[in-house]
Amino acid sequence: MGTAVGGERSVPRYVQIAEEIVQQIRAGVLKPGDMVPSESDLVDRYNVSGGTIRKAMVEVRASGLVETRHGKGSIVKDRPPVRHRSSDRFRRSLRQDGKAAYLAESEQSGATAKVSVLYIGPMEAPEDAAQRLGVSAGTQVLARRRLYFRNGTPVETATSYLPWDVVKEIPELFAENPGGGGIYARLEDHGHEFSEFVETLQARPASKAEASELALSPGAPVVHLIREARTTEGLVVEVCDTLMAADQFVFEYRIPAAD
């Protein structure tokens, strides 16, 4: 690595090239099914060595946006966005059919979905989640952290915070697989009937750690979504803090016009 003015480390050339190729894919310049230019083409385009291009392509493949086909080179993967229908994605009928929202949406988009559970257990409630749950910051809650994949690529992280007094008598919520319909179905099984789900969204650039976890380029756009699950008794029984790769989701809302 070189050193920039002021002692800051400059970004290696192969990283710059990889980021440019990834941005071309995300911007649609290179579309699903397109071949990434060959090594010789990239050497000519960027006026660098073949070794630099090979290192750049290692970074591009790590993004999950391309796949390498023997004898053909690298091709841009088909990544149709999941349509996030917030107006009806938490319908009770879906839970009764044993379908959690993300898996149902991925299925409808023709994608292969996978959920990796990163952590389940007690945690001190962060300030924002605590405020939404109506407890003091640092109060013990149950945390469930997951990483969601679509067609093998990470697209979303989510951490649910649930009041300990609510979940301590629901052993399924401490299991990696809480059963058909997910955690909302188990909460309803135990008498917590939902009245509404309230979501707050904010678009922003990903931090370095977030970009790494979601296989994004540094500063790539993400959607930070926080959801409150409210019961008919006026309790918030879950706060879900979610980070989504912005190019992987289309958000759809149905807003009644009547009073």
Side-chain angles (χ1 to χ4, degrees):
M1 287 188 182
T3 302
V5 176
E8 294 183 0
R9 291 185 179 276
S10 60
V11 177
R13 183 62 176 141
Y14 75 90
V15 174
Q16 295 175 346
I17 294 169
E19 290 178 355
E20 184 172 324
I21 294 171
V22 167
Q23 287 304 323
Q24 289 176 355
I25 296 172
R26 294 195 181 281
V29 177
L30 288 171
K31 298 177 174 59
D34 285 352
M35 299 300 300
V36 176
S38 67
E39 179 179 316
S40 60
D41 288 342
L42 293 172
V43 165
D44 291 342
R45 178 184 299 180
Y46 292 105
N47 193 28
V48 295
S49 68
T52 297
I53 295 301
R54 286 190 290 274
K55 291 172 70 175
M57 287 308 300
V58 169
E59 298 294 317
V60 174
R61 286 191 290 272
S63 73
L65 295 172
V66 303
E67 58 182 334
T68 300
R69 297 183 179 177
H70 183 66
K72 292 187 176 181
S74 296
I75 188 170
V76 179
K77 289 182 179 180
D78 184 13
R79 285 161 54 103
V82 169
R83 188 165 294 276
H84 185 91
R85 294 184 174 90
S86 288
S87 298
D88 60 8
R89 68 194 302 257
F90 295 119
R91 293 200 315 269
R92 187 169 289 108
S93 60
L94 287 176
R95 293 193 293 279
Q96 292 172 343
D97 287 341
K99 295 181 179 179
Y102 176 77
L103 298 179
E105 288 174 335
S106 297
E107 180 182 292
Q108 291 166 3
S109 72
T112 300
K114 176 187 173 184
V115 181
S116 178
V117 176
L118 304 179
Y119 175 78
I120 301 174
M123 180 180 289
E124 293 184 357
E127 185 173 352
D128 182 67
Q131 183 177 356
R132 293 171 184 271
L133 290 170
V135 300
S136 300
T139 299
Q140 179 174 286
V141 295
L142 173 65
R144 294 179 58 92
R145 179 164 172 76
R146 294 92 66 200
L147 178 60
Y148 293 84
F149 294 81
R150 187 162 59 85
N151 295 338
T153 299
V155 296
E156 174 183 340
T157 63
T159 303
S160 291
Y161 301 99
L162 302 102
W164 197 262
D165 287 345
V166 169
V167 303
K168 64 183 180 182
E169 303 299 333
I170 310 177
E172 296 94 335
L173 296 183
F174 293 81
E176 185 170 318
N177 182 356
I183 64 175
Y184 293 154
R186 301 292 78 75
L187 286 163
E188 286 193 316
D189 289 345
H190 287 76
H192 301 285
E193 182 179 349
F194 294 108
S195 62
E196 63 178 354
F197 298 89
V198 179
E199 295 184 336
T200 303
L201 294 83
Q202 179 185 17
R204 60 171 175 78
S207 69
K208 287 185 178 180
E210 292 166 346
S212 176
E213 190 166 39
L214 291 175
L216 300 172
S217 298
V222 291
V223 174
H224 186 198
L225 183 153
I226 298 178
R227 181 173 60 255
E228 298 178 14
R230 298 177 179 175
T231 70
T232 54
E233 296 180 347
L235 297 176
V236 175
V237 293
E238 184 229 23
V239 171
C240 188
D241 192 324
T242 304
L243 196 73
M244 314 165 82
D247 67 335
Q248 290 300 297
F249 296 89
V250 173
F251 295 88
E252 180 179 307
Y253 294 89
R254 185 172 61 250
I255 302 172
D259 292 337

